[in-house]
Short mmCIF file of all heavy atoms in Angstrom, two decimals:
data_model
loop_
_atom_site.label_atom_id
_atom_site.label_comp_id
_atom_site.label_asym_id
_atom_site.label_seq_id
_atom_site.Cartn_x
_atom_site.Cartn_y
_atom_site.Cartn_z
N ARG A 77 43.88 -97.14 12.94
CA ARG A 77 44.75 -98.30 12.71
C ARG A 77 43.85 -99.53 12.72
O ARG A 77 43.22 -99.82 13.74
CB ARG A 77 45.83 -98.40 13.79
CG ARG A 77 46.86 -97.30 13.73
CD ARG A 77 47.96 -97.52 14.78
NE ARG A 77 47.42 -97.36 16.14
CZ ARG A 77 47.42 -96.20 16.81
NH1 ARG A 77 47.92 -95.10 16.24
NH2 ARG A 77 46.93 -96.14 18.03
N LEU A 78 43.79 -100.21 11.58
CA LEU A 78 42.93 -101.39 11.48
C LEU A 78 43.75 -102.66 11.64
O LEU A 78 44.87 -102.77 11.14
CB LEU A 78 42.20 -101.41 10.13
CG LEU A 78 41.29 -100.23 9.82
CD1 LEU A 78 40.53 -100.49 8.52
CD2 LEU A 78 40.33 -99.94 10.96
N HIS A 79 43.17 -103.63 12.34
CA HIS A 79 43.78 -104.93 12.57
C HIS A 79 42.74 -105.98 12.20
O HIS A 79 41.56 -105.84 12.53
CB HIS A 79 44.20 -105.08 14.03
CG HIS A 79 44.90 -103.86 14.58
ND1 HIS A 79 46.26 -103.69 14.51
CD2 HIS A 79 44.40 -102.76 15.19
CE1 HIS A 79 46.59 -102.54 15.07
NE2 HIS A 79 45.48 -101.94 15.48
N TYR A 80 43.18 -107.04 11.54
CA TYR A 80 42.23 -108.03 11.02
C TYR A 80 42.40 -109.38 11.71
O TYR A 80 43.51 -109.87 11.89
CB TYR A 80 42.40 -108.20 9.51
CG TYR A 80 42.11 -106.92 8.76
CD1 TYR A 80 43.16 -106.06 8.39
CD2 TYR A 80 40.81 -106.56 8.43
CE1 TYR A 80 42.89 -104.88 7.71
CE2 TYR A 80 40.55 -105.38 7.75
CZ TYR A 80 41.59 -104.54 7.40
OH TYR A 80 41.33 -103.37 6.74
N SER A 81 41.28 -109.97 12.09
CA SER A 81 41.24 -111.32 12.62
C SER A 81 40.54 -112.19 11.58
O SER A 81 39.33 -112.06 11.36
CB SER A 81 40.48 -111.35 13.95
OG SER A 81 40.40 -112.66 14.46
N ARG A 82 41.30 -113.06 10.95
CA ARG A 82 40.76 -113.87 9.85
C ARG A 82 40.18 -115.18 10.40
O ARG A 82 40.80 -115.86 11.20
CB ARG A 82 41.85 -114.15 8.82
CG ARG A 82 42.26 -112.89 8.04
CD ARG A 82 43.51 -113.15 7.21
NE ARG A 82 43.77 -112.08 6.26
CZ ARG A 82 44.40 -110.95 6.56
NH1 ARG A 82 44.84 -110.74 7.80
NH2 ARG A 82 44.62 -110.03 5.63
N GLU A 83 38.99 -115.51 9.90
CA GLU A 83 38.28 -116.71 10.34
C GLU A 83 37.92 -117.58 9.15
O GLU A 83 37.88 -117.12 8.00
CB GLU A 83 36.99 -116.33 11.08
CG GLU A 83 37.18 -115.44 12.29
CD GLU A 83 35.85 -115.02 12.90
OE1 GLU A 83 34.81 -115.63 12.52
OE2 GLU A 83 35.84 -114.11 13.72
N ILE A 84 37.63 -118.84 9.43
CA ILE A 84 37.04 -119.73 8.43
C ILE A 84 35.53 -119.50 8.46
O ILE A 84 34.93 -119.54 9.55
CB ILE A 84 37.36 -121.20 8.75
CG1 ILE A 84 38.88 -121.42 8.68
CG2 ILE A 84 36.64 -122.14 7.79
CD1 ILE A 84 39.31 -122.79 9.15
N PRO A 85 34.90 -119.25 7.32
CA PRO A 85 33.47 -118.94 7.32
C PRO A 85 32.64 -119.99 8.06
O PRO A 85 32.80 -121.19 7.87
CB PRO A 85 33.12 -118.92 5.82
CG PRO A 85 34.40 -118.50 5.16
CD PRO A 85 35.48 -119.15 5.96
N GLY A 86 31.78 -119.50 8.96
CA GLY A 86 30.85 -120.36 9.68
C GLY A 86 31.42 -121.15 10.83
O GLY A 86 30.72 -121.94 11.45
N GLU A 87 32.68 -120.94 11.18
CA GLU A 87 33.34 -121.80 12.16
C GLU A 87 33.15 -121.35 13.61
O GLU A 87 33.05 -122.18 14.51
CB GLU A 87 34.83 -121.87 11.85
CG GLU A 87 35.60 -122.83 12.75
CD GLU A 87 37.06 -122.96 12.36
OE1 GLU A 87 37.80 -122.00 12.60
OE2 GLU A 87 37.43 -124.01 11.83
N LEU A 88 33.08 -120.04 13.87
CA LEU A 88 33.21 -119.57 15.25
C LEU A 88 31.97 -118.94 15.86
O LEU A 88 31.88 -118.85 17.08
CB LEU A 88 34.37 -118.55 15.32
CG LEU A 88 35.75 -119.10 14.98
CD1 LEU A 88 36.79 -117.97 15.03
CD2 LEU A 88 36.14 -120.22 15.93
N ASP A 89 31.03 -118.46 15.08
CA ASP A 89 29.90 -117.67 15.58
C ASP A 89 30.43 -116.36 16.19
O ASP A 89 31.63 -116.12 16.22
CB ASP A 89 29.07 -118.46 16.59
CG ASP A 89 27.60 -118.02 16.64
OD1 ASP A 89 27.30 -116.89 16.22
OD2 ASP A 89 26.77 -118.82 17.10
N THR A 90 29.53 -115.52 16.69
CA THR A 90 29.94 -114.18 17.12
C THR A 90 30.87 -114.21 18.32
O THR A 90 31.93 -113.57 18.34
CB THR A 90 28.70 -113.34 17.45
OG1 THR A 90 27.83 -114.10 18.29
CG2 THR A 90 27.97 -112.93 16.19
N GLY A 91 30.49 -114.96 19.35
CA GLY A 91 31.33 -115.01 20.55
C GLY A 91 32.67 -115.64 20.28
O GLY A 91 33.71 -115.17 20.78
N GLY A 92 32.69 -116.72 19.51
CA GLY A 92 33.94 -117.37 19.18
C GLY A 92 34.86 -116.48 18.36
O GLY A 92 36.09 -116.52 18.52
#
Side-chain angles (χ1 to χ4, degrees):
R77 291 184 292 269
L78 300 186
H79 315 271
Y80 298 96
S81 179
R82 291 170 169 83
E83 302 175 13
I84 297 172
E87 185 176 72
L88 297 177
D89 207 339
T90 48

